[in-house]
Amino acid sequence: MTQPQVQAKRTETLPKGNFDAVIVGAGFAGLYMLHRLREMGFKARVLEAGSGVGGTWYWNRYPGARCDVESVQYSFQFSDALQQDWDWSERYAAQPELLAYANHVADRFDLRRDIQFNTRVSRASFDETAGRWVIETGDGARVTATHCIMATGCLSSPNMPAFKGLETFAGERYHTGYWPHENIDFTGKRVAMIGTGSSAVQSIPIIAGQAKQLFVFQRTPNYAIPAHNAPLTPQYRRAIKADYAGLRERARKNMTGIDFDYSDAAALETPPDERAREYETRWQRGGLSFLGAYKDLMVDQAANDTAAEFVRAKIREKVRDARVAELLAPKNTIGCKRLCIDIGYYETFNRPNVSLVDVSESGIEAITQQGVKVEGREYKVDAIVFATGFDAMTGALLKIDIRGKGGLSLREKWREGPRTYLGLGMAGFPNLFTITGPGSPSVLTNMLPTIEQHVDWIADCLGYLRDHGLARIEPSEQAEQDWGAHVGELAGRTLRYTCGSWYLGVNIPGKPRVFMPYIGGFPRYIEKCSEVAGKGYEGFLLG
Ligand code: N01
């Protein structure tokens, strides 16, 4: 695997002294957490494995990487000056612009002086006698802090399946979630793409435009809705900035924390011709709001089928070869896996240099020295791109050996699946917080407002502890159990429970099948968190 250059660098020397908080990760969550804590006078330090800020947007540099939430919404709102000063250039920002934004935030709020780069945390253990977290890096250096805050991201642990023969491949290998920093040009090359999730859907059209030949190995087709991406006009930007507060307020009231139009109508109570018009309007508008067309789409299979069939018909219209179109048309529930937002994805399969290889039945037999083997046929390539996703939500946390009271390991605690209270903390792990952890809305919502809500809650909580002369906070077993039951019960009511998605951990062999994010919606979750804090951190043990 071609490694990002940053990996070669040595861990920086850890600072001496004790911190009020150590924050792991310098993505958007880590940056804002540091800003809040410093503003409150806490001594905080961020430890970051990469050589720069940006998290997801630092690592995911594959061609075509771009956010699937509109840029004016996928942005911080904690500083009005920031949102007034920053100009997004496109409806959906591309990775370089998002990374530039993260860097701008770091510079604007002078955050770098408290971030330690090239420092991968390998272990975090709670020292019960001292009441402090001991955070260690791979080379044995350590730092201590009263609080340890994991800002490690939800989709930050790339999944590389154990393909037979993987190590024998003599060509170039890339993973979309771990892309090199130098420009990779596939011009004139034969390329294999393994996977057809969001990362593949975004990168396939770009790679197809460069490569001599692109083979796409598809196990399960995905639904992609057009992005209709476009430059943002000065008039549009002015209008947004004139009422940013209104936009944020409307977004906060929506399930996903995104301001778009959710209908209260039911698909099955709507006449078919009217329904088709509604789908067409949303298709023309583009983006994730397609699934907001009807309130029953994610709870009633028959309703869902109407939207799924609409998209399948669109795929058949776009793809000229009927056999290929049929392979690309998903048969499962739309929205069960996360929707993809595309720019010319299906049309790419009309190109003469692109071939779709169906591996739904056979799987990939092996990676060979020269390429990819399926059902006895070897596809010879110069490069393989693995767009095989992530060990979502728990992967990055479990890569760190996290030990709570009595040496309890998080891996052991989560053997049957993640257990948290509100996705913010775990019983047995005092003073440990997770930003957008499993059990919170996280990946089902717009990540930026969701991050801000968690960071604000944690910052307020630390302020409360300080004001009340308290040194410890930890969820009670009961609160954790009740919350877990509630999260599971809500998930079981939706169609999202019915497919093999990364939300359920099914993409990782041996991972327990548990629906990890909280599906009750952003407004309901915010209310619950505020209620808990308002009642003196109900469900937490304070000491
Ligand atoms: O990963 P995925 P992703 N043999 O898990 C296939 C976010 N994101 O990186 O479906 C053959 O969706 C696998 O097949 P199957 C977004 O939330 C956001 O694309 O398991 N194939 C699938 O096709 C997204 O949902 C943006 O049958 C194998 C693919 O690899 C999430 O990240 C952009 C295989 C993995 O798809 C993950 O997306 C990009 C095997 N052994 C990503 N193992 C934004 O826009 C796996 N696959 C912000």
Side-chain angles (χ1 to χ4, degrees):
M1 172 84 50
T2 312
Q3 306 272 311
Q5 291 158 343
V6 294
Q7 291 305 301
K9 293 195 182 158
R10 288 198 54 238
T11 298
E12 288 175 15
T13 313
L14 280 179
K16 298 239 170 355
N18 294 324
F19 290 90
D20 295 315
V22 159
I23 301 157
V24 185
F28 286 124
L31 291 179
Y32 182 45
M33 191 76 248
L34 174 62
H35 175 62
R36 276 301 316 266
L37 292 184
R38 264 197 353 205
E39 256 188 347
M40 294 169 76
F42 286 113
K43 196 175 161 199
R45 188 81 178 170
V46 175
L47 305 182
E48 162 61 50
S51 64
V53 300
T56 283
W57 305 109
Y58 173 90
W59 298 106
N60 286 259
R61 295 168 186 244
Y62 59 84
R66 158 185 316 277
C67 188
D68 57 4
V69 174
E70 294 187 28
S71 46
V72 296
Q73 303 210 43
Y74 188 86
S75 52
F76 281 126
Q77 56 192 286
F78 69 86
S79 159
D80 190 47
L82 168 65
Q83 59 184 7
Q84 292 298 331
D85 288 352
W86 184 266
D87 282 330
W88 292 105
S89 69
E90 292 179 276
R91 180 177 175 188
Y92 296 99
Q95 175 271 336
E97 191 170 16
L98 287 156
L99 189 59
Y101 177 71
N103 276 286
H104 172 77
V105 169
D107 292 334
R108 185 181 184 112
F109 298 99
D110 187 23
L111 299 175
R112 287 180 208 280
R113 64 186 157 88
D114 287 315
I115 305 176
Q116 186 133 341
F117 294 106
N118 305 305
T119 302
R120 184 174 285 283
V121 171
S122 56
R123 185 180 158 96
S125 50
F126 188 64
D127 174 344
E128 285 184 68
T129 318
R132 302 186 68 78
W133 280 90
V134 181
I135 295 115
E136 295 170 58
T137 56
D139 60 4
R142 53 172 57 191
V143 65
T144 69
T146 310
H147 298 278
C148 179
I149 303 171
M150 294 296 179
T152 42
C154 296
L155 294 158
S156 46
S157 179
N159 166 43
M160 175 55 87
F163 292 110
K164 187 176 153 206
L166 183 61
E167 294 313 318
T168 62
F169 182 61
E172 302 161 39
R173 283 195 273 155
Y174 305 98
H175 192 292
T176 47
Y178 198 57
W179 200 263
H181 287 197
E182 66 269 19
N183 182 35
I184 305 297
D185 186 356
F186 294 105
T187 303
K189 291 185 177 160
R190 297 160 304 167
V191 181
M193 166 72 67
I194 300 185
T196 48
S198 293
S199 302
V201 164
Q202 289 185 335
S203 53
I204 282 170
I206 314 272
I207 296 177
Q210 299 173 349
K212 185 163 95 185
Q213 179 71 42
L214 174 65
F215 297 104
V216 176
F217 295 86
Q218 174 184 273
R219 192 165 65 179
T220 316
N222 263 309
Y223 293 93
I225 308 293
H228 297 310
N229 187 41
L232 295 181
T233 62
Q235 297 89 306
Y236 179 82
R237 283 200 294 254
R238 268 198 300 277
I240 291 287
K241 287 183 183 183
D243 185 30
Y244 240 132
L247 171 82
R248 303 299 194 181
E249 187 53 31
R250 290 190 301 277
R252 229 174 139 77
K253 291 188 178 137
N254 271 338
M255 286 283 282
T256 55
I258 306 175
D259 175 31
F260 53 53
D261 156 34
Y262 287 94
S263 166
D264 266 345
L268 295 182
E269 289 165 12
T270 307
D273 53 340
E274 196 183 310
R275 206 166 51 205
R277 276 198 301 276
E278 178 64 18
Y279 289 144
E280 185 61 35
T281 303
R282 287 180 184 255
W283 182 266
Q284 294 308 333
R285 197 185 300 155
L288 294 172
S289 75
F290 183 80
L291 280 180
Y294 295 105
K295 65 176 181 186
D296 49 353
L297 292 184
M298 291 318 300
V299 288
D300 186 318
Q301 190 61 57
N304 189 283
D305 290 345
T306 64
E309 190 42 43
F310 177 88
V311 178
R312 284 193 285 267
K314 287 289 184 191
I315 297 170
R316 290 180 198 119
E317 269 173 32
K318 283 175 186 243
V319 180
R320 287 198 290 270
D321 182 323
R323 187 194 68 86
V324 175
E326 224 31 59
L327 284 174
L328 287 169
K331 309 295 178 290
N332 56 1
T333 303
I334 186 170
C336 186
K337 290 187 172 186
R338 189 182 171 102
L339 272 189
C340 301
I341 304 302
D342 83 293
I343 302 179
Y345 175 64
Y346 294 115
E347 294 84 345
T348 300
F349 291 89
N350 293 330
R351 296 178 63 110
N353 67 330
V354 176
S355 312
L356 184 65
V357 183
D358 174 26
V359 299
S360 58
E361 297 287 327
S362 64
I364 286 170
E365 191 180 324
I367 305 292
T368 64
Q369 198 186 357
Q370 297 195 72
V372 181
K373 199 168 173 188
V374 175
E375 292 188 286
R377 174 174 171 193
E378 187 180 41
Y379 297 83
K380 291 188 178 157
V381 291
D382 305 298
I384 305 180
V385 175
F386 295 90
T388 43
F390 301 89
D391 182 355
M393 303 205 72
T394 56
L397 289 166
L398 294 180
K399 263 190 188 166
I400 303 173
D401 183 11
I402 302 176
R403 306 258 163 184
K405 287 193 302 197
L408 171 68
S409 88
L410 190 62
R411 262 177 227 142
E412 190 54 40
K413 180 177 168 91
W414 283 4
R415 188 181 285 278
E416 307 293 322
R419 288 190 284 136
T420 73
Y421 182 36
L422 301 170
L424 278 161
M426 285 82 74
F429 294 79
N431 296 1
L432 179 77
F433 295 94
T434 50
I435 301 178
T436 65
S440 73
S442 60
V443 289
L444 296 178
T445 54
N446 181 3
M447 287 307 289
L448 269 278
T450 281
I451 283 171
E452 282 183 310
Q453 186 258 341
H454 259 196
V455 167
D456 288 338
W457 191 96
I458 295 168
D460 291 349
C461 175
L462 265 52
Y464 178 94
L465 297 177
R466 180 173 63 185
D467 294 348
H468 291 77
L470 296 164
R472 268 196 205 190
I473 183 162
E474 169 191 350
S476 74
E477 289 280 357
Q478 190 60 50
E480 184 177 277
Q481 238 175 58
D482 294 347
W483 183 251
H486 174 60
V487 171
E489 204 253 320
L490 291 188
R493 286 191 214 159
T494 82
L495 296 174
R496 286 194 191 260
Y497 209 73
T498 57
C499 67
S501 69
W502 57 257
Y503 294 126
L504 278 157
V506 173
N507 60 327
I508 304 296
K511 190 165 173 171
R513 191 178 191 275
V514 173
F515 195 85
M516 294 178 285
Y518 174 67
I519 206 168
F522 197 40
R524 197 163 156 189
Y525 178 77
I526 299 177
E527 202 183 309
K528 172 73 181 169
C529 290
S530 305
E531 191 186 300
V532 164
K535 291 185 179 165
Y537 296 90
E538 187 182 49
F540 285 91
L541 309 171
L542 308 181

